[in-house]
């Protein structure tokens, strides 16, 4: 008797911990902890106007800053999927499902908008909470 199993992989096996994963229908990128420089919640965004004046706007968000390798991974993934919904997984749990408006990774920091600062803080905590190695899970089996 032979058992056949369907397996869902959590990404490639690595000794380096996963900070978060970005997932589309058929593609997944695991961003490793050493590739994340910072994950911070912000309430406002400030711009310098051409005349040198500072202008601030309410813009609750989580700013994720990546090292160059993380930037490249995310840029390759998101460039092919602009306009689509992407899932952000932390500890194999979906914590957000934003629509990608432009390729991410062109700059060291990308932003994920939030409804308010409390939501941004809670999301940042989830993204920083516990980094896990990818795992294999048996989804179903058939005895033959």
């Amino acid at each position: 008797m032979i058992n056949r199993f369907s397996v869902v992989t959590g990404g490639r096996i690595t000794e380096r911990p996963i900070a978060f994963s970005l997932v589309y229908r058929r593609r997944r990128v695991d961003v490793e902890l050493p590739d994340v420089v910072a994950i911070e919640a912000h309430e406002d965004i400030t711009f310098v106007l051409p005349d040198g004046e500072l202008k601030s706007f309410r813009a609750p968000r989580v700013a994720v800053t990546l090292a160059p390798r993380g930037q490249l991974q995310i840029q390759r993934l998101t460039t092919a999927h602009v306009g689509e919904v992407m899932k952000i997984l932390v500890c194999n749990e979906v914590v957000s499902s934003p629509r990608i408006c432009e390729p991410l990774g062109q700059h060291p920091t990308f932003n994920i908008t939030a409804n308010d600062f409390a939501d941004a803080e809670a999301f940042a905590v989830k993204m920083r909470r516990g980094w896990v190695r990818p795992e294999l899970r048996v989804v179903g089996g058939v005895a033959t």
Side-chain angles (χ1 to χ4, degrees), residues 9-13 28 30 134-136:
T9 63
R12 69 185 190 282
I13 300 299
R28 174 181 178 134
D30 293 325
E135 62 184 51
L136 297 178

Side-chain angles (χ1 to χ4, degrees), residues 19-40:
F20 60 90
S21 301
L22 304 179
V23 181
Y24 288 100
R25 281 181 284 139
R26 295 183 190 153
R27 295 184 65 193
R28 174 181 178 134
V29 168
D30 293 325
V31 178
E32 296 176 348
L33 179 56
D35 295 325
V36 177
V37 176
I39 299 171
E40 302 169 319

